[in-house]
Amino acid sequence: MTEVKTAAIPTVQHASAPAIPLTQRLPQTKGWKELVRDIWDDNPTFRMILAMCPTMGATNMAINGMAQGLATLIATVASSVTVAALRNIIPSEVRLPSYMIIIAFWVTIVDIFLRAYLPPLSAALGPYVPLIITNCFVLGRAEAFASQNSPGLSALDALGVGLGFTMSLTLLGIVRELLGFGSLFGIQIFSGWTPWVVMIIPAGAFLLVGLYVGIVKHFSPGGQIGGGA
Amino acid sequence: MTEQAKTPPKKKKLMGAHEWRMIIVLTVIAAVAGGLLAAVNEVTKATIEANAKARLRSSILVAVGLYKAEELFPAEGLPKLSAAQVDQYFKEHIEEVKADSFTYWKIYKDKVGGELMAYVIRIAGSGFQGLVAMQVALKPDLSEIIGAHVVPFEIGETPGLGFRMTEEQFWSQFAGMKTGPRIEFIKFRDPDSPKAPNQFDAITGATYTSTTVRDLLNKTIASLRKIVQKEQK
């Protein structure tokens, strides 16, 4: 599905024409299209059903979902740029171990910085930050995109996936926190709320992900013909 | 047999330029990544350790009752005391003692070595799915708990269930509790009905967490009692 969609994007010749203002020119550029495609059409959580482990584990509160998404975003962008920069140096036989080392490196950097400078968030996310290393879409972007494209374009591609992931996790976190705690980003919204404990535990995430996948499939064009992920 | 006959055996070097390149590239990537990580770790190690130390020390001050939890662990904004001020207080009033299996703190009223105000212990162990830890201040004769405090974000229990041990409603109930003959918890207590002085209210749906707290408390207080009795002899 991914390949088909990528191929469908036409190469835009007039992208650098000076007469067209940036607001009209920008949506025509290849990078912008990559970005939008990754956020919505190939949304890692609701379309590709990738990276389910942090999706279930780190979204019981909106702030946790958002932090997990942003940590993954930073790690994905950094790894993709590194892989793209080294794409002509790394022999294809050892590309996967090389990508894994690069990804593990960046994720560990993110983890160390969270522990040093944002200890409350680091403690709330627990093992899910180091587990970003095993997120399939981080390696997926490196293998499918960054290994064949320039660092700039790879950064946009990774940014799109990261933003799509952050958006999905934050959405899940918002609903789970509202129903599970009656609060939003730690601020109490419903007073005297009886918490739905099922929303706090991973079972609630399973229910919600199923619901979201259904909604996304229903409203996006690809969904009706049984396409999408 | 026919397969082998078709392809004539090639004289090929085991390690050509390409193979060497594979090894060198992968080794260099691993070495650079490892080296950079070691450097970053070295730079941030002190901060990470200082964070943990400041948290523990602030929690001890809350357990003793010198400060309110929201003064040292504010939900937003800065704590009332800086890490340096907490350290200064510790230097003047508190003696850290390392026993065989645990660490405890002696809190003095005016200066170290003077009149003893309290003992503080840290209980820590595995709960249902993560760390259960609490700082508990005890009277010098260990008969009664002065206060307790839980550092919210170091607890690894289930949010909404065991994690509720981080709520003030849970840890504040230990203040004034008797430690003898042993600490127990009580489940399903009507809010108006009385509880014994050695009982605390368990967390609904988190019996494992409550059990861990009870067992760690009894074990650590018993260990401390032995040490204190030996000192007094």
Side-chain angles (χ1 to χ4, degrees), chain B residues 222-233:
Chain B
S223 310
L224 182 62
R225 194 169 277 139
K226 270 186 206 151
I227 293 170
V228 172
Q229 278 167 355
K230 210 180 267 176
E231 267 179 10
Q232 282 168 349
K233 266 175 198 170

Side-chain angles (χ1 to χ4, degrees), chain B residues 67-83:
Chain B
Y67 290 91
K68 289 197 173 90
E70 60 267 25
E71 290 176 332
L72 295 187
F73 293 90
E76 50 195 58
L78 290 170
K80 198 174 172 182
L81 289 185
S82 69

Side-chain angles (χ1 to χ4, degrees), chain A residues 115-116 119, chain B residues 45-61 72-73 81-88 90-91 94 96 98 103 105 122 135 149 151 153-154:
Chain A
R115 266 192 290 156
Chain B
K45 204 167 73 184
T47 317
I48 293 173
E49 275 168 15
N51 283 343
K53 195 172 160 192
R55 278 204 304 264
L56 177 61
R57 292 192 154 185
S58 300
S59 181
I60 288 170
L61 295 186
L72 295 187
F73 293 90
L81 289 185
S82 69
Q85 284 171 305
V86 172
D87 281 349
Q88 184 62 28
F90 261 70
K91 218 173 171 184
I94 297 173
E96 187 176 299
K98 286 209 164 45
T103 307
W105 293 266
R122 171 178 167 82
Q135 282 63 244
H149 182 249
V151 178
F153 42 79
E154 68 174 14

Side-chain angles (χ1 to χ4, degrees), chain A residues 60 89 93 98 112 116 123 200, chain B residues 18 21 26 33 36 44 51 153 159:
Chain A
N60 53 36
I89 301 170
E93 291 91 339
S98 306
I112 290 176
I200 300 164
Chain B
H18 187 69
R21 193 170 150 229
L26 197 52
L36 284 176
T44 52
N51 283 343
F153 42 79

Side-chain angles (χ1 to χ4, degrees), chain A residues 29-90:
Chain A
T29 58
K30 193 164 179 253
W32 179 266
K33 286 187 174 171
E34 283 297 335
L35 191 74
V36 174
R37 178 175 64 83
D38 289 325
I39 292 176
W40 184 252
D41 295 331
D42 284 351
N43 182 295
T45 316
F46 300 141
R47 298 307 291 262
M48 314 279 263
I49 324 286
L50 290 177
M52 282 295 109
C53 159
T55 305
M56 302 299 163
T59 58
N60 53 36
M61 286 177 149
I63 187 74
N64 292 356
M66 202 162 128
Q68 176 71 30
L70 289 175
T72 313
L73 184 146
I74 294 168
T76 315
V77 171
S79 328
S80 273
V81 170
T82 315
V83 166
L86 297 175
R87 71 187 188 282
N88 296 326
I89 301 170
I90 299 171

Side-chain angles (χ1 to χ4, degrees), chain A:
Chain A
M1 207 56 214
T2 314
E3 288 81 24
V4 176
K5 275 181 183 159
T6 318
I9 296 167
T11 6
V12 181
Q13 304 297 332
H14 62 271
S16 56
I20 308 162
L22 187 71
T23 45
Q24 285 170 30
R25 209 167 68 219
L26 194 63
Q28 297 297 316
T29 58
K30 193 164 179 253
W32 179 266
K33 286 187 174 171
E34 283 297 335
L35 191 74
V36 174
R37 178 175 64 83
D38 289 325
I39 292 176
W40 184 252
D41 295 331
D42 284 351
N43 182 295
T45 316
F46 300 141
R47 298 307 291 262
M48 314 279 263
I49 324 286
L50 290 177
M52 282 295 109
C53 159
T55 305
M56 302 299 163
T59 58
N60 53 36
M61 286 177 149
I63 187 74
N64 292 356
M66 202 162 128
Q68 176 71 30
L70 289 175
T72 313
L73 184 146
I74 294 168
T76 315
V77 171
S79 328
S80 273
V81 170
T82 315
V83 166
L86 297 175
R87 71 187 188 282
N88 296 326
I89 301 170
I90 299 171
S92 67
E93 291 91 339
V94 292
R95 67 186 194 285
L96 288 177
S98 306
Y99 299 165
M100 284 318 293
I101 294 171
I102 291 167
I103 293 166
F105 167 75
W106 283 113
V107 171
T108 313
I109 294 272
V110 170
D111 186 41
I112 290 176
F113 271 89
L114 279 179
R115 266 192 290 156
Y117 303 112
L118 292 165
L121 261 185
S122 166
L125 296 175
Y128 293 104
V129 172
L131 276 176
I132 295 172
I133 297 171
T134 61
N135 269 13
C136 16
F137 74 74
V138 184
L139 183 63
R141 290 342 285 169
E143 168 75 2
F145 199 93
S147 61
Q148 289 140 29
N149 288 285
S150 69
L153 212 52
S154 302
L156 281 176
D157 172 70
L159 188 68
V161 176
L163 284 176
F165 188 61
T166 309
M167 184 188 80
S168 315
L169 258 56
T170 312
L171 272 176
L172 281 168
I174 285 173
V175 176
R176 288 182 72 185
E177 190 180 343
L178 264 182
L179 297 177
F181 296 94
S183 62
L184 200 56
F185 288 100
I187 301 154
Q188 202 68 33
I189 305 280
F190 307 133
S191 50
W193 178 255
T194 309
W196 298 18
V197 177
V198 69
M199 279 300 157
I200 300 164
I201 59 180
F206 274 96
L207 294 173
L208 269 183
V209 167
L211 210 62
Y212 273 125
V213 169
I215 293 171
V216 168
K217 240 177 144 40
H218 181 77
F219 283 108
S220 70
Q224 285 148 358
I225 48 164

